[in-house]
Amino acid sequence: MTPPLDDAALPNRLPRPKEELEALKRAWKPTSGLGLLKEVNNNIIGVMYIGTALLFFVISGTLALVMRAQLAVPENDVLGHSLYNQFFTVHGTGMMFLFAVPIVEAIGVFLLPSMLAARDLPFPRLSAFAFWAYLFGGLAFFCSLIFEVAPDGGWFMYPPLTSMKFSPGINADFWLLGIGFIEISAIAGAIEIIVGILRTRPPGMTLDKIPVYCWSMLVMAGMIVFAFPAVIIATALLEIERAFDWPFFIAERGGDPLLWQHLFWFFGHPEVYIIFLPAAGLVSMMVPALAQRPLIGHDWVVVALVGTGFFSFGLWVHHMFATGIPPLSLSFFSAASMAVSVPAGIQVFAWIATLGKGRLQWTVATWFLLGFLFIFVAGGLTGVMVAVIPFDWQAHDSYFVVAHLHYVLIGGMVFPVFAGLYHWWPTLKGTMLSERLGRWAFWMMFIGFNVAFFPMHVSGLMGMPRRVYTYPGDLGWNALNMVSTVGAFVMAFGVLLVLIDMARDAFGRGRPAPENPWKAGTLEWIPNDDYATRSIPHVRSLYPLWDNPNLSREVQEGAHYLPGAPTRRRETIVTSPIEARPQYLMPMPGPHWSHFLAGLFTAAHFICLAVQLYWVSLVPGVLAIASVFWWVWSLDRGADHPPQDVGGGWRVPVYLQGSENHSWWGTAVLLLVDGTAFACLCFTYVFLWTVSPDVWPAGTDALPGLGWLFGEAALWVVAAGAMLLASRAVAGNRSWAMRGALLVGLLLMLAAAVAEPYNRIGSGLVASESAYGAIVYMLASWQVFHVVILVLMTGLALARSFAGRLHARRRVTFDNVMLVWLYTCGQGVVSLLLVHLFPRLAV
Amino acid sequence: MEKTAFTATFTGMMSAFLIWAAHFAAVYGINGLICAREWDGVELYGHPVAVVLILGATAIALLLAAGVLAAALWGAAPGRRTSEDPRRFIRLFTALAAAGSLVAILWNGLPALQVPACG
């Protein structure tokens, strides 16, 4: 244990040897040309990710303009009703799933490492994989419009409209399979962000010194972990219903379309905050820089961010006020909807107070921030209005709601993102966007936005329903719609100006930026290169550059931690999650083809499924798995170097095993995702029983005997025991005992997973007959799916063992398999208890 | 402090919000089940069963959140922690979260006093 530095000391002595910087540059040298496809560096992936998200924003926005052209005058025929339905579905889906969430994650991938002074995020290949899967999947999704097979059920895809009976083509499948798999990429990003923020902070950045943006990203990523599994399960259930006729949402057989709404909105409402909170985090970073003073009420803002994240989960029925849910239940959600405005308000007051107390710099970002405050507050106020149940009943499914959601989302997210674009652009390549073009763009966007969307409040209150492709000319909506259309085009012109500004910069017309042009106080303003900052600074306050005016120079001269590449490869320091003390040196993977191919083949697999080429889909599926194997094979290198001196008296190992390893953390977060998905399935079981007890067995006669329960549970427990034995064998370097225990354990798990559906088939239960059968088989299938995953993971562990890459001093791969294994066994027992005991105990 | 388990510290910081979440799930679940099973006519201690159970759950949640608040304030007296100590932030975070959750739990439970359970 090394004591913390005193204020005067620098972690490393100056001057640094010349070859140190050269080694660092060599290790982080980027690839060029086609090699860009192999790249994993967050500076490159982040920029491509942001660019792709902006491309999808433009495509989705263009669809909106065509829709506005259609609605400009009554009884117009630019779009027929079928194509209009596809347009508004792809517009909403594109904006929510392919722009809003990806761009906040993309900005995080680009900005977080520099804000944390880490060399990169902890799983660079995972980021790169997430990006490529998103790019290929997103492009395919938009292409569905060209062939007129785009989904047409709205971005919320409510059944029964999207059930096989009413949507027999492949349109709905494009959404269910396409978007469902892209959400997996969002989860990959969330895991990366959580582990990155908690484990790759610079030494000294204790919890109280974490920048607000990082807190907001931590909350966002946590929300993705607990919200996205709900929509993934919902899409899986609907796709299975469509493909195999398992009636989860078909009321005649015990299903319930409201189940979709519960699962969808349990994701869908937090989604709004998943989008808003990172934007709020960006605002909380820009406001102090632009006002040249610390954020007032920093600690309160952090608690407000976390509180908003939690409370936003209590809002999902806020979207279901008109579905006949009991009044007291609605009141809980109405109360929560109002309560969530309090933490949001705390942030708004903190920003206004900071801006008011400081010496404001009038930059383009400042204008976008003021526009954001105006629009977001207005959207928040209409949010409180629709949280009042009787008002919601009046305004439900009208253009008032369209206006409200665009005020919240464009105000709460698009304006801060554009502010951030102008604010952080100089960190990209040291040039600045045009202040003049930026101001024009702002005013076009601000005026255009309000002209487009304010009239929708009025047209909504006058009774105009949303999602209509045209309307008669005698209802008094004509002028309002024409004004909205004009506003939309003005706003689009503003966006075009920003794109032109960016293109000017790309073609070398951007102004060179001075170092730290806004005189900000946080670490991302230290000049950096492909390897991030030359050395990793010791942090002593929330605004280290204000706290120590020499810090930037010290860091660039290599006076802080890890000024070189001591193991001659890419690496960063892993610190403890609370006090940020250096723990070990994490080797980071470099450029490789595997993650690119994995992303390409994963996208191809799901696209084949969507267009019903089921057998063909096996080819890219197998190739995707092979690519992942190739990807992970070179990881988990063990302690292949002796402990290294990183400065400040810290000599740290290059490898740590067990729960301190970053990949163990990644697996643990993944299991939280998995556990949430399983909880959603359990909720599905209980919900379907609540609404349709008549399809559940009335007595024990139709149920398998309790012997099945005890027998199968015993198999899971013994399988878990086999894994624990294997773990002990690894610790003792008894390879053959470990291999034997793993194989026996796998066989036991396979037996347990197969026994459940086998006994159900034997007892005459048919999945397609009722919702009861469907959910029982679904839970059993979920276990089978996990065992298949474990067969692959265990296969990898065994292969590594035979290759001499798994033993007592190099067992991170094994530990990760063990985590998933033990979780699966525990989940198996809980699942059995639910499906065997619940019908016996239920009243 | 370095040896403090992250999970315990982080769970402690989030405990009040978790209590709010558990309370929210409980009252929604209780009311949903009572209405689905048409038990809204049943009375407990002379009051509708939904009201009694929801107010009971609310009281328990309030007590738990108050306990978190008290624990967070314990030892946070002036002079005992320096402003540089990360424990100061952890305690402040926990206390603010607990205070916010107390209000939110009360706010969520109050409708049970005036809105009919199942209409």
Side-chain angles (χ1 to χ4, degrees):
Chain A
M1 182 65 63
T2 305
L5 292 173
D6 67 64
D7 281 355
L10 288 173
N12 276 305
R13 265 185 298 192
L14 295 175
R16 305 301 306 161
K18 196 179 164 202
E19 59 274 14
E20 198 176 60
L21 181 59
E22 283 164 6
L24 189 61
K25 281 184 172 168
R26 221 174 8 254
W28 288 88
K29 188 172 184 284
T31 48
S32 55
L34 260 187
L36 204 61
L37 304 178
K38 302 193 293 180
E39 193 49 75
V40 292
N41 191 323
N42 78 291
N43 286 326
I44 296 167
I45 295 296
V47 171
M48 293 198 295
Y49 213 156
I50 292 171
T52 305
L54 285 175
L55 169 70
F56 291 166
F57 171 68
V58 170
I59 296 174
S60 304
T62 307
L63 297 179
L65 290 180
V66 180
M67 287 191 289
R68 278 316 318 170
Q70 162 68 16
L71 293 173
V73 292
E75 298 184 30
N76 204 356
D77 58 1
V78 174
L79 291 173
H81 75 272
S82 169
L83 201 53
Y84 186 87
N85 288 349
Q86 293 182 34
F87 267 52
F88 82 67
T89 302
V90 175
H91 163 71
T93 307
M95 285 297 191
M96 295 299 277
F97 292 98
L98 296 174
F99 164 64
V101 176
I103 201 166
V104 293
E105 284 199 335
I107 293 172
V109 168
F110 177 72
L111 215 47
L112 278 175
S114 57
M115 219 173 258
L116 298 171
R119 299 231 179 273
D120 204 331
L121 285 170
F123 309 109
R125 280 192 195 153
L126 194 62
S127 296
F129 164 77
F131 164 69
W132 289 113
Y134 158 67
L135 173 69
F136 295 128
L139 288 175
F141 181 74
F142 283 115
C143 285
S144 66
L145 262 179
I146 299 170
F147 304 103
E148 290 202 35
V149 291
D152 52 5
W155 81 278
F156 35 80
M157 292 289 286
Y158 287 165
L161 187 63
T162 50
S163 297
M164 192 50 106
K165 186 175 176 186
F166 299 104
S167 289
I170 62 168
N171 305 54
D173 302 306
F174 246 101
W175 194 99
L176 295 169
L177 289 160
I179 295 302
F181 117 80
I182 288 171
E183 294 325 297
I184 293 168
S185 118
I187 288 171
I191 292 170
E192 173 91 302
I193 287 165
I194 290 174
V195 181
I197 294 172
L198 292 176
R199 301 304 306 283
T200 59
R201 302 201 304 269
M205 188 184 271
T206 49
L207 286 184
D208 53 324
K209 297 184 186 72
I210 299 179
V212 182
Y213 175 68
C214 302
W215 273 108
S216 75
M217 291 300 286
L218 192 58
V219 175
M220 178 215 71
M223 291 176 73
I224 286 180
V225 164
F226 292 108
F228 274 53
V231 74
I232 289 173
I233 288 298
T235 52
L237 295 181
L238 185 51
E239 186 57 34
I240 287 168
E241 178 183 290
R242 290 173 56 85
F244 305 117
D245 195 29
W246 292 12
F248 296 106
F249 307 104
I250 300 171
E252 303 87 74
R253 284 184 273 162
D256 192 338
L258 274 193
L259 170 64
W260 171 272
Q261 292 202 31
H262 277 290
L263 290 173
F264 183 84
W265 289 118
F266 186 76
F267 142 83
H269 203 93
E271 159 92 340
V272 174
Y273 292 89
I274 285 169
I275 295 164
F276 166 65
L277 291 182
L282 291 175
V283 174
S284 291
M285 300 299 287
M286 283 185 274
V287 162
L290 295 171
Q292 289 292 290
R293 60 153 298 140
L295 182 69
I296 290 176
H298 168 270
D299 294 350
W300 286 69
V301 170
V302 172
V303 179
L305 281 169
V306 180
T308 308
F310 270 90
F311 294 158
S312 69
F313 277 92
L315 268 65
W316 80 90
V317 171
H318 169 106
H319 295 261
M320 300 164 66
F321 282 166
T323 56
I325 286 172
L328 182 53
S329 301
L330 294 185
S331 301
F332 299 142
F333 289 91
S334 178
S337 303
M338 293 178 198
V340 80
S341 61
V342 176
I346 287 173
Q347 293 178 76
V348 171
F349 284 120
W351 297 326
I352 293 173
T354 310
L355 290 172
K357 285 279 258 180
R359 286 176 286 108
L360 200 53
Q361 305 178 60
W362 286 96
T363 68
V364 175
T366 315
W367 284 107
F368 271 105
L369 287 184
L370 293 177
F372 147 73
L373 277 172
F374 177 85
I375 296 171
F376 178 69
V377 169
L381 292 175
T382 53
V384 175
M385 289 168 75
V386 292
V388 178
I389 299 163
F391 182 86
D392 183 77
W393 285 341
Q394 300 305 313
H396 195 85
D397 273 348
S398 76
Y399 258 80
F400 186 91
V401 176
V402 178
H404 158 68
L405 75 90
H406 283 89
Y407 263 77
V408 172
L409 292 172
I410 295 182
M413 186 266 180
V414 176
F415 273 68
V417 163
F418 275 74
L421 202 62
Y422 274 85
H423 188 77
W424 276 287
W425 191 268
T427 64
L428 197 60
K429 57 186 182 75
T431 52
M432 297 173 83
L433 292 177
S434 159
E435 286 286 306
R436 192 169 165 206
L437 265 180
R439 280 174 209 225
W440 273 98
F442 163 74
W443 284 110
M444 303 289 273
M445 285 177 68
F446 182 75
I447 293 170
F449 171 83
N450 283 291
V451 171
F453 290 100
F454 187 80
M456 291 184 194
H457 292 106
V458 183
S459 55
L461 291 175
M462 288 172 71
M464 181 166 169
R466 58 198 289 202
R467 304 169 203 137
V468 288
Y469 82 103
T470 191
Y471 51 90
D474 56 355
L475 296 173
W477 307 337
N478 302 7
L480 291 166
N481 274 293
M482 177 55 84
V483 169
S484 283
T485 301
V486 170
F489 277 88
V490 173
M491 184 183 169
F493 194 71
V495 174
L496 182 64
L497 285 183
V498 177
L499 298 177
I500 290 171
D501 203 1
M502 289 161 61
R504 278 181 75 249
D505 187 86
F507 288 110
R509 301 284 302 276
R511 277 183 298 136
E515 183 180 320
N516 195 359
W518 323 118
K519 298 185 172 38
T522 41
L523 299 178
E524 75 273 22
W525 294 102
I526 298 174
N528 61 33
D529 209 317
D530 297 312
Y531 46 78
T533 52
R534 163 71 198 279
S535 56
I536 296 176
H538 189 96
V539 171
R540 293 191 172 85
S541 75
L542 265 170
Y543 301 95
L545 293 184
W546 290 346
D547 183 49
N548 174 9
N550 295 323
L551 185 64
S552 184
R553 185 183 51 78
E554 291 169 8
V555 167
Q556 290 178 73
E557 289 175 356
H560 284 257
Y561 298 96
L562 195 64
T567 67
R568 298 290 185 265
R569 63 188 173 196
R570 298 183 181 191
E571 59 214 343
T572 196
I573 300 173
V574 174
T575 50
S576 61
I578 295 175
E579 292 202 326
R581 288 171 181 264
Q583 286 188 324
Y584 69 101
L585 207 56
M586 178 209 299
M588 314 198 86
H592 207 255
W593 283 105
S594 56
H595 60 270
F596 169 77
L597 293 175
L600 177 69
F601 291 133
T602 308
H605 172 70
F606 279 93
I607 292 163
C608 286
L609 286 179
V611 297
Q612 299 181 350
L613 295 171
Y614 298 120
W615 289 106
V616 178
S617 75
L618 288 176
V619 177
V622 170
L623 289 172
I625 292 169
S627 304
V628 172
F629 271 49
W630 186 24
W631 160 359
V632 296
W633 186 253
S634 59
L635 306 179
D636 187 12
R637 291 161 177 248
D640 54 358
H641 286 76
Q644 301 291 323
D645 186 0
V646 294
W650 290 98
R651 193 169 178 77
V652 295
V654 293
Y655 187 74
L656 271 192
Q657 304 196 128
S659 59
E660 284 181 335
N661 186 280
H662 63 284
S663 77
W664 189 94
W665 280 58
T667 308
V669 178
L670 179 65
L671 290 180
L672 287 177
V673 175
D674 207 0
T676 309
F678 178 62
C680 290
L681 284 177
C682 293
F683 168 81
T684 299
Y685 182 99
V686 176
F687 179 84
L688 291 173
W689 169 79
T690 308
V691 294
S692 303
D694 46 309
V695 299
W696 252 252
T700 55
D701 292 349
L703 290 167
L706 282 174
W708 282 102
L709 165 65
F710 296 125
E712 291 171 32
L715 286 172
W716 287 116
V717 172
V718 178
M723 173 45 95
L724 295 176
L725 281 177
S727 175
R728 290 183 63 174
V730 173
N733 271 332
R734 288 177 283 116
S735 299
W736 281 107
M738 181 264 287
R739 293 164 194 159
L742 285 182
L743 284 174
V744 170
L746 264 189
L747 287 173
L748 291 170
M749 280 203 294
L750 277 169
V754 172
E756 179 61 13
Y758 174 77
N759 91 66
R760 295 289 176 170
I761 292 167
S763 64
L765 187 67
V766 179
S768 59
E769 222 163 58
S770 71
Y772 168 67
I775 185 60
V776 168
Y777 280 107
M778 184 65 208
L779 281 160
S781 308
W782 188 247
Q783 278 307 111
V784 172
F785 169 67
H786 277 73
V787 173
V788 171
I789 298 285
L790 273 170
V791 167
L792 294 172
M793 290 181 76
T794 309
L796 175 73
L798 288 172
R800 292 183 71 91
S801 168
F802 283 111
R805 292 172 176 234
L806 198 164
H807 46 78
R809 291 159 65 84
R810 189 181 179 185
R811 53 174 291 166
V812 164
T813 303
F814 180 89
D815 288 339
N816 290 339
V817 176
M818 183 161 74
L819 267 183
V820 180
W821 183 299
L822 295 178
Y823 166 82
T824 302
C825 292
Q827 180 182 269
V829 173
V830 174
S831 182
L832 285 174
L833 292 175
L834 179 69
V835 296
H836 283 265
L837 294 186
F838 188 87
R840 290 180 162 87
L841 300 174
V843 187
Chain B
M1 186 64 194
E2 183 54 40
K3 290 190 183 301
T4 306
F6 169 77
T7 311
T9 305
F10 208 67
T11 309
M13 288 171 71
M14 302 298 156
S15 55
F17 289 132
L18 291 170
I19 292 165
W20 170 84
H23 169 260
F24 194 87
V27 296
Y28 180 58
I30 289 168
N31 201 58
L33 194 60
I34 285 170
C35 295
R37 287 288 164 273
E38 298 178 354
W39 293 333
D40 51 328
V42 179
E43 291 199 340
L44 266 180
Y45 309 112
H47 298 283
V49 63
V51 173
V52 174
L53 292 179
I54 289 166
L55 291 183
T58 304
I60 292 168
L62 286 173
L63 280 173
L64 290 172
V68 174
L69 179 61
L73 294 175
W74 185 264
R80 295 193 61 176
R81 305 279 177 229
T82 68
S83 63
E84 291 302 310
D85 190 338
R87 279 173 293 188
R88 184 202 66 84
F89 173 78
I90 291 168
R91 286 175 187 279
L92 177 68
F93 183 102
T94 312
L96 286 174
S101 297
L102 271 171
V103 177
I105 291 166
L106 187 64
W107 181 243
N108 268 136
L110 282 178
L113 290 175
Q114 49 183 349
V115 180
C118 307

